[in-house]
């Protein structure tokens, strides 16, 4: 299937949703209101029409304001209360709707209704988020990202809360407050924002070395996704699938982006965070609006109960991944995100996710991170919303009937008309009645529980901090290893305490001594005394060198002005569009530019309103500019920026003056149109490759 067919298929799915075939969207329709339009008159929140919304009521033209100005009072006091407390973590987020389609029946391992039949579709709401920064911070921070999916199933809501790493930074929920405090800004200065480049975090890491594995992922390219559309997700916890016979199977999940996993360079992420802090939001909005809907396949890794202790790791240890070479990922369905929210606050900001929102067919294990999580999420939402009714907000509301004896609390919208609101009753025939398992009632798995009350770690795996961190290192390409080392140096370079820097160097020697020595040499401390653990295994699935690469939805900046070769440029732009490449026309000023035969192109951005770092590739056309010297300098700035970041560059026949070969460069990934009949195809192939690491 080519990119246009893929786009048409996605558009067809969206049109079906718009026609009302999505039960969640049908439910949301009753909450959607439009305040603007012909004949619409302004009212107060009580419905009284407003005659003047511009001037407050006063005693005399120059007199004091009057307390009886109820319209001003209502308007101002409502505004004063427009915000709710932001989430303690994952405060900065963005959510979109979509659907999940099962590829195959998983009936043999789980009763979960939405996984019973191939082709069964389930509405979803997906929220991407950053862990550290506040609600107003930047998208591109080096951070732990959330990837939460709410399935609106026929059995109630099922929430799957994932991260972009397969492992967690701690092995027991007891430490969650501590690592969060350590990662957040300094409590005295509230600096720095949205980064772990400070003393507290690295002091925590050095003194809580179970964090080693996840910090390796965080410092790698995985910590800086190019796009949410190009980011994998793992719920990190171990759950149980339960089938209709009550048999349990340990399971972990993985979201696999269809576009592959791709990343920003460290300096790109830092610069973009300043010039466009909404970079990831804009990216997913553009993709959905253009009909290139983000797609992710859902994979499962399963281990039978009888094999629980056959691995060299503990299946309950969240600081360890299940190597895909040992526990293969089985793809069972696909999520397509195809609809933006109507109102950010009402839907995204008020959305709430809870790992305790489960449905028949899945249950908890004794995972020591999952157990506390199952209690903690609801409590934080009770604080944020000041009400026990947040599950009744439209975005959180299940699509199935709700019958319960829960009552009251702030902002109760339901009008419960029953006089009986307790269980075990005769006046209402003991309804709402319990549902048997056959009727869909949720029942907990009757797992064995034994032993003494203890705070001991569950097993030997929980004492092994570096085996899988070394596995991660061994799995990286040389480019990825250099990038990870440089990222360590960048972050530890901001640490003021020499003792903390030295402790980290000693710690990271356990992963790779050579890496630790390089870090030490760059941050002003002594080389480590120890050496790395003796692990030679690697996992090819970890390296991004093995991820799929496509040109589709990569963004190309077209640098152009009047006088361009119309035939050549049109042929190239048409081919890029056909291949699903996103483009922005960049020139001296907004308006239109004119080609050699009168062809006109609308300019999207100017050199003053955009930055080279925002593009995955450049198409260098050039042209006849009013201020040629300034235009030339802008062109060279863009080209040099893209070149040093290993990005593909396509050069039109009129653009060769802006990049030329020399003894200092090999022009790898630079495609010239001159004397090249296959230029458009070659350029698209280069765009798909994305980086040319062999460039000099």
């Amino acid at each position: 299937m080519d990119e246009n067919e893929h786009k048409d298929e996605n558009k067809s799915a969206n049109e079906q949703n718009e026609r009302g075939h999505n039960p969640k969207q049908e439910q949301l329709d009753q909450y959607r209101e439009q305040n603007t339009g012909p004949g619409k008159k302004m009212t107060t929140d009580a419905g009284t029409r407003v005659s003047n919304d511009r001037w407050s009521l006063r005693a005399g033209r120059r007199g004091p304001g009057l307390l009886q100005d109820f319209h001003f009072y209502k308007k101002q006091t409502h505004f004063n209360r427009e915000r709710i407390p932001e989430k303690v973590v994952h405060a900065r987020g963005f959510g979109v709707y979509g659907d999940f389609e099962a590829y195959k029946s998983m009936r043999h391992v789980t009763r979960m209704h939405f996984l019973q039949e191939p082709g069964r579709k389930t509405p979803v709401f997906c929220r991407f988020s950053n862990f550290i920064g506040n609600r107003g911070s930047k998208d591109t921070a080096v951070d732990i990202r959330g990837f939460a999916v709410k399935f609106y199933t026929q059995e109630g809501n099922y929430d799957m809360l994932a991260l972009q790493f397969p492992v967690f930074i701690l092995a027991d929920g007891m430490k969650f407050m501590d690592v969060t405090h350590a990662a957040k800004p300094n409590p005295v200065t509230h600096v720095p924002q949205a980064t772990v480049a400070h003393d507290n975090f690295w002091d925590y890491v050095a003194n809580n070395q179970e964090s080693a594995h996840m910090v390796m992922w965080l410092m790698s390219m995985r910590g800086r996704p190019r796009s949410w559309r190009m980011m994998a997700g793992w719920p990190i916890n171990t759950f149980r699938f339960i089938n209709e016979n009550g048999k349990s199977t340990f399971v972990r999940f993985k979201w696999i982006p269809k576009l592959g996993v791709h990343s920003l360079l460290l300096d790109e992420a830092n610069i973009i965070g300043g010039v466009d802090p909404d970079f990831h939001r804009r990216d997913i909005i553009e993709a959905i609006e253009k009909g290139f809907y983000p797609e992710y396949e859902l994979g499962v890794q399963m281990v039978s109960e009888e094999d629980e202790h056959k691995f060299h790791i503990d299946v309950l240890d969240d600081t360890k991944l299940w190597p895909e070479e040992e526990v293969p990922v089985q793809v069972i369905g696909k999520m397509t995100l195809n609809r933006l929210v109507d109102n950010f606050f009402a839907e995204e900001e008020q959305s709430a996710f809870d790992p305790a929102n489960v449905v028949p067919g899945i249950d908890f294990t004794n995972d020591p991170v999952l157990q506390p999580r199952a209690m903690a999420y609801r409590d934080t939402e009770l604080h944020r919303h000041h009400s026990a009714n947040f599950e009744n907000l439209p975005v959180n509301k299940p699509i199935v009937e709700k019958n319960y004896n829960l009552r009251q609390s702030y902002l109760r919208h339901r009008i419960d008309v029953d006089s009986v609101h307790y269980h075990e009753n005769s006046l209402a025939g003991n309804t709402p009645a319990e549902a048997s398992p056959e009727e869909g009632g949720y029942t907990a798995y009757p797992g064995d529980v034994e032993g003494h009350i203890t705070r001991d770690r569950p097993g030997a795996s929980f004492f092994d901090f570096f085996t899988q961190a070394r596995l991660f290192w061994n799995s990286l390409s040389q480019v990825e290893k250099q990038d990870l080392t440089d990222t360590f140096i960048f972050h530890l370079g901001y640490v003021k305490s020499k003792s903390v820097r030295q402790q980290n160097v000693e710690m990271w020697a356990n992963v790779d001594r050579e890496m630790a020595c390089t870090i030490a040499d760059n941050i002003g401390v002594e080389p480590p005394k120890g050496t790395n653990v003796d692990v030679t295994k690697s996992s090819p699935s970890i390296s991004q060198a093995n991820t799929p690469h496509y040109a589709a939805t990569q963004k190309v900046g077209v640098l152009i002005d009047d006088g361009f070769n119309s035939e050549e440029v049109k042929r190239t732009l048409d081919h890029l569009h056909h291949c699903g490449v996103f483009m922005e026309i960049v020139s001296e000023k907004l308006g239109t530019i004119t080609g050699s035969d009168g062809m006109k192109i609308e300019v999207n951005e100017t050199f003053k309103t955009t930055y080279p770092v925002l593009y995955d590739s450049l198409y260098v056309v050039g042209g006849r500019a009013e201020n040629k010297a300034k235009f030339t300098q802008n062109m060279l700035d863009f080209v040099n920026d893209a070149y040093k970041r290993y990005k593909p560059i396509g050069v039109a026949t009129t653009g060769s003056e802006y990049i030329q070969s020399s003894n200092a460069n090999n022009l790898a990934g630079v495609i010239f149109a001159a004397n090249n009949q296959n230029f458009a195809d070659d350029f698209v192939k280069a765009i798909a490759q994305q980086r040319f690491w062999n460039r000099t």
Side-chain angles (χ1 to χ4, degrees):
M1 181 184 294
D2 70 23
E3 295 301 335
N4 283 340
E5 289 173 345
H6 171 79
K7 178 178 177 181
D8 291 341
E9 180 189 70
N10 280 338
K11 276 192 171 179
S12 176
N14 192 50
E15 288 166 0
Q16 287 183 350
N17 287 339
E18 293 300 325
R19 287 197 298 268
H21 295 293
N22 183 306
K24 184 59 185 179
Q25 297 307 318
E26 288 179 359
Q27 182 192 62
L28 290 173
D29 282 342
Q30 65 183 302
Y31 299 103
R32 296 187 172 110
E33 300 281 354
Q34 185 169 347
N35 294 292
T36 59
K40 295 278 189 177
K41 300 295 183 182
M42 181 182 291
T43 72
T44 68
D45 56 2
T48 304
R49 288 194 172 188
V50 175
S51 63
N52 191 320
D53 188 51
R54 292 159 288 126
W55 293 93
S56 56
L57 202 63
R58 295 181 300 284
R61 293 181 64 185
R62 300 176 64 82
L66 298 178
L67 287 177
Q68 69 190 62
D69 190 350
F70 64 87
H71 177 54
F72 168 77
Y73 175 76
K74 287 188 174 186
K75 184 177 180 180
Q76 186 63 42
T77 55
H78 191 285
F79 172 76
N80 293 348
R81 292 160 176 80
E82 280 188 355
R83 299 293 179 266
I84 60 176
E86 67 177 34
K87 295 175 184 287
V88 179
V89 293
H90 296 285
R92 182 170 180 81
F94 192 82
V96 292
Y97 291 102
D99 58 63
F100 175 83
E101 181 176 0
Y103 283 166
K104 59 176 73 175
S105 172
M106 297 299 290
R107 187 187 303 272
H108 60 293
V109 290
T110 180
R111 291 176 54 204
M112 299 177 86
H113 177 268
F114 75 99
L115 295 179
Q116 294 300 290
E117 302 293 340
R120 180 168 289 171
K121 284 194 173 184
T122 303
V124 300
F125 180 74
C126 180
R127 183 178 189 264
F128 301 100
S129 58
N130 286 16
F131 176 82
I132 303 171
N134 65 29
R135 193 160 50 194
S137 58
K138 60 185 180 181
D139 285 347
T140 58
V142 175
D143 201 355
I144 305 165
R145 282 172 177 79
F147 189 149
V149 179
K150 185 181 294 293
F151 295 82
Y152 302 102
T153 85
Q154 295 299 319
E155 300 173 299
N157 287 351
Y158 167 55
D159 291 353
M160 181 185 287
L161 288 84
L163 303 175
Q164 92 268 36
F165 312 133
V167 293
F168 205 37
I169 200 166
L170 45 85
D172 191 294
M174 179 69 85
K175 289 187 173 183
F176 188 74
M177 181 190 77
D178 301 295
V179 70
T180 303
H181 281 180
K184 288 286 190 176
N186 185 291
V188 176
T189 62
H190 203 62
V191 172
Q193 177 62 240
T195 180
V196 294
H198 57 87
D199 288 50
N200 284 359
F201 179 76
W202 293 99
D203 181 53
Y204 176 90
V205 167
N207 289 280
N208 295 269
Q209 296 191 5
E210 71 201 56
S211 64
H213 191 190
M214 185 177 183
V215 172
M216 290 288 288
W217 285 79
L218 176 63
M219 292 293 104
S220 77
M221 289 182 172
R222 298 267 188 170
R224 309 181 302 269
R226 157 61 180 85
S227 164
W228 293 324
R229 301 178 295 115
M230 305 167 193
M231 181 180 83
W234 290 266
I236 68 154
N237 296 125
T238 301
F239 289 87
R240 276 191 171 97
F241 271 157
I242 311 294
N243 69 12
E244 59 184 7
N245 299 317
K247 179 176 173 54
S248 165
T249 304
F250 292 115
V251 61
R252 284 192 181 183
F253 299 94
K254 178 182 180 181
W255 289 110
I256 307 164
K258 294 280 280 184
L259 291 175
V261 178
H262 303 285
S263 298
L264 299 169
L265 302 180
L266 178 60
D267 67 333
E268 283 179 321
N270 289 336
I271 295 169
I272 292 172
V275 301
D276 186 6
D278 303 308
F279 182 72
H280 286 153
R281 297 184 183 203
R282 293 185 201 277
D283 173 86
I284 202 167
I285 291 169
E286 179 180 20
I288 292 175
E289 288 183 339
K290 289 184 175 180
F292 286 87
Y293 303 131
E295 295 178 325
Y296 310 82
E297 289 186 313
L298 180 62
V300 294
Q301 292 177 286
M302 296 184 291
V303 174
S304 62
E305 285 246 354
E306 50 268 29
D307 291 338
E308 176 182 1
H309 301 294
K310 290 186 178 180
F311 294 93
H312 61 280
I313 57 168
D314 195 315
V315 297
L316 301 182
D317 184 352
D318 292 335
T319 66
K320 311 294 190 296
L321 56 77
W322 295 0
E324 294 183 15
E325 293 74 25
E326 299 177 39
V327 189
V329 174
Q330 179 183 161
V331 174
I332 64 172
K334 181 179 74 173
M335 177 172 67
T336 303
L337 302 178
N338 51 29
R339 192 182 185 286
L340 300 171
V341 300
D342 289 302
N343 183 278
F344 181 84
F345 177 83
E347 296 170 275
E348 198 288 328
E349 187 65 21
Q350 291 194 124
S351 66
F353 294 84
D354 186 349
N357 282 347
V358 292
V359 293
I362 193 163
D363 203 349
F364 309 116
T365 63
N366 296 333
D367 178 332
V369 174
L370 176 59
Q371 292 279 322
R373 287 184 86 200
M375 296 188 300
Y377 280 69
R378 179 174 178 80
D379 186 64
T380 192
E381 295 300 343
L382 290 171
H383 167 69
R384 292 186 70 230
H385 295 285
H386 297 291
S387 171
N389 289 318
F390 64 87
E391 294 281 18
N392 287 322
L393 292 167
V395 67
N396 300 323
K397 193 174 183 179
I399 60 175
V400 295
E401 182 180 61
K402 295 202 296 185
N403 301 306
Y404 48 54
N405 292 318
L406 305 175
R407 291 294 188 270
Q408 300 173 8
S409 189
Y410 295 100
L411 298 177
R412 180 74 165 182
H413 285 217
R414 276 177 67 120
I415 302 174
D416 298 290
V417 298
D418 313 275
S419 62
V420 175
H421 52 9
Y422 49 89
H423 191 52
E424 303 288 4
N425 66 72
S426 63
L427 294 176
N430 202 26
T431 59
E434 298 167 331
S436 66
E438 294 73 25
E439 295 171 314
Y442 187 90
T443 54
Y445 177 70
D448 293 333
V449 178
E450 61 181 24
H452 302 288
I453 295 174
T454 181
R455 293 190 188 273
D456 289 344
R457 300 183 201 184
S461 172
F462 289 80
F463 292 88
D464 179 3
F465 303 150
F466 299 109
T467 296
Q468 284 208 342
R470 175 69 178 176
L471 169 77
F472 181 84
W473 174 261
N474 292 343
S475 304
L476 300 181
S477 67
Q478 195 56 47
V479 168
E480 290 171 308
K481 287 180 177 179
Q482 184 61 56
D483 177 89
L484 187 149
T485 304
D486 290 343
T487 306
F488 268 120
I489 292 168
F490 173 86
H491 285 81
L492 287 167
Y494 279 90
V495 173
K496 305 302 181 186
S497 168
K498 187 173 183 178
S499 170
V500 170
R501 298 200 303 273
Q502 187 69 57
Q503 289 175 64
N504 270 273
V505 165
E506 301 295 344
M507 172 182 171
W508 297 112
N510 290 286
V511 176
D512 188 77
R513 176 173 174 79
E514 184 179 350
M515 175 187 74
C517 288
T518 302
I519 295 171
D521 186 51
N522 280 271
I523 63 172
V525 297
E526 296 298 317
K529 299 180 179 64
T531 191
N532 47 265
V533 295
D534 185 19
V535 175
T536 58
K537 282 186 177 182
S538 63
S539 174
S541 63
I542 289 174
S543 174
Q544 290 185 211
N546 302 318
T547 197
H549 288 69
Y550 301 100
T553 78
Q554 291 285 295
K555 181 168 280 191
V556 174
V558 181
L559 312 183
I560 192 169
D561 212 308
D562 291 323
F564 58 88
N565 184 321
S566 297
E567 181 183 354
E568 177 188 319
V569 169
K570 183 179 187 305
R571 184 170 60 248
T572 302
L573 297 186
D574 285 349
H575 189 64
L576 294 178
H577 178 74
H578 174 76
C579 294
V581 176
F582 292 175
M583 292 171 280
E584 282 188 347
I585 309 300
V586 183
S587 193
E588 278 192 305
K589 49 188 164 184
L590 296 177
T592 58
I593 50 175
T594 306
S596 56
D597 68 352
M599 173 187 174
K600 293 188 180 298
I601 297 178
E602 187 75 23
V603 176
N604 308 119
E605 298 284 352
T606 71
F607 290 112
K608 289 184 178 179
T609 62
T610 192
Y611 298 83
V613 75
L614 300 177
Y615 300 102
D616 300 301
S617 178
L618 295 180
Y619 178 32
V620 182
V621 180
R624 186 177 61 248
E626 290 182 8
N627 186 336
K628 186 64 176 177
K630 186 175 181 182
F631 180 78
T632 298
Q633 186 59 56
N634 285 329
M635 294 285 286
L636 291 173
D637 288 345
F638 269 67
V639 170
N640 291 336
D641 190 277
Y643 192 86
K644 73 178 182 181
R645 294 190 169 89
Y646 312 100
K647 296 178 179 181
I649 300 172
V651 184
T653 54
T654 54
S656 58
E657 66 180 285
Y658 302 108
I659 183 165
Q660 298 176 355
S661 177
S662 73
N663 293 331
N665 64 43
N666 61 8
L667 298 187
V670 180
I671 313 299
F672 290 92
N675 304 314
N676 183 0
Q677 292 183 340
N678 298 317
F679 168 71
D681 283 332
D682 292 345
F683 187 29
V684 167
K685 290 175 183 176
I687 293 169
Q689 184 169 328
Q690 301 183 21
R691 305 276 186 183
F692 289 81
W693 301 115
N694 63 330
R695 179 178 289 170
T696 58

